[in-house]
Amino acid sequence: MFSILKTRFQQKFRTMAWPDGPAPALPERFAGRPRVDRAACDACGQCAAACPVDAISCQDGLALDTGRCLFCRACERACKRKAVTFSSDFHLAAAQRDALTVCDAEETFPPALVEKARNYFGRSLKLRQVSAGGCNACEADTNVLGTVAWDLGRFGIQFVASPRHADGLLVTGPVSANMRLALEKTYDAVPTPKIVIACGACAISGGPYARHPEVCNGAATVVPVDLFIPGCPPHPLTILDGLLRFVGRVK
């Protein structure tokens, strides 16, 4: 017992300062919000051909759908003119599905702040997590938020065991056919007012499983979604930033 207390004392304060202080350092290979430079694009289509999930379109000008994107950077490697690059910007969440499409280098996502969420859940938000056929990557990064370093609970946000104790759902995975009814019943069990958060490319668009007959191509095909958090998987900082912006805790 004394050795445990001694070690804890030596570790000192471990919770990160963000959002009141600087954000934690991200790994060098981190792929954040993509940058699209239409002026540099010659519509050769190589980036679109390299994308494994059809996240890029060149028909009406270069555009990248981060709701589909796996952040594999295949498009960045394929584009010799550097019309598509990935930044270290972790701000990816949006309150509208259309806002996930990046069309211009200067474009920014509109604030992922929903009036309903700010009014009802700004001080306390309880979420039931639903793994709807995911690979556990998004679930793992979501679980990280409960560790000492991130301490999601300090913002009044917690994951609960029962949907009847929840204010909303955080859905991961493409929603497999076997999970469709379970998701519908879980949503119905959450008392109103309630929200739904689609976390990860699979939950937003089906990810690499899109258009497969055994998946529903994301949560929005089954339940109404209020917040979209892109990534494969989203970094814990991206998830936390999306949640805090959604309830008006950060700008």
Side-chain angles (χ1 to χ4, degrees), residues 201-222:
C202 288
I204 296 174
S205 64
Y209 311 102
R211 296 182 293 276
H212 191 283
E214 293 299 322
V215 302
C216 300
N217 296 332
T221 63
V222 181

Side-chain angles (χ1 to χ4, degrees), residues 185-227:
K185 288 187 174 183
T186 305
Y187 177 79
D188 292 339
V190 179
T192 56
K194 53 189 170 184
I195 61 174
V196 176
I197 301 165
C199 183
C202 288
I204 296 174
S205 64
Y209 311 102
R211 296 182 293 276
H212 191 283
E214 293 299 322
V215 302
C216 300
N217 296 332
T221 63
V222 181
V223 294
V225 175
D226 302 283
L227 178 64

Side-chain angles (χ1 to χ4, degrees), residues 122-160:
R123 296 176 63 86
S124 176
L125 177 63
K126 311 300 181 186
L127 297 172
R128 176 66 171 98
Q129 200 275 323
V130 179
S131 179
C135 68
N136 261 351
C138 292
E139 293 86 342
D141 277 3
T142 301
N143 289 340
V144 167
L145 297 178
T147 62
V148 173
W150 295 86
D151 192 14
L152 184 66
R154 62 191 163 122
F155 304 106
I157 304 175
Q158 295 177 321
F159 289 99
V160 295

Side-chain angles (χ1 to χ4, degrees), residues 78-203:
C79 182
K80 298 179 180 179
R81 301 174 65 91
K82 302 299 181 184
V84 180
T85 57
F86 285 83
S87 71
S88 59
D89 185 0
F90 58 85
H91 302 91
L92 291 167
Q96 297 87 29
R97 177 65 179 87
D98 293 343
L100 296 179
T101 299
V102 181
C103 301
D104 189 86
E106 299 301 324
E107 182 177 315
T108 58
F109 284 117
L113 173 61
V114 176
E115 191 70 19
K116 177 179 68 174
R118 183 178 64 182
N119 291 339
Y120 288 112
F121 313 122
R123 296 176 63 86
S124 176
L125 177 63
K126 311 300 181 186
L127 297 172
R128 176 66 171 98
Q129 200 275 323
V130 179
S131 179
C135 68
N136 261 351
C138 292
E139 293 86 342
D141 277 3
T142 301
N143 289 340
V144 167
L145 297 178
T147 62
V148 173
W150 295 86
D151 192 14
L152 184 66
R154 62 191 163 122
F155 304 106
I157 304 175
Q158 295 177 321
F159 289 99
V160 295
S162 170
R164 299 192 183 280
H165 301 158
D167 299 310
L169 306 179
L170 188 143
V171 184
T172 56
V175 187
S176 63
N178 287 338
M179 279 298 298
R180 180 183 186 114
L181 181 59
L183 177 58
E184 291 174 342
K185 288 187 174 183
T186 305
Y187 177 79
D188 292 339
V190 179
T192 56
K194 53 189 170 184
I195 61 174
V196 176
I197 301 165
C199 183
C202 288

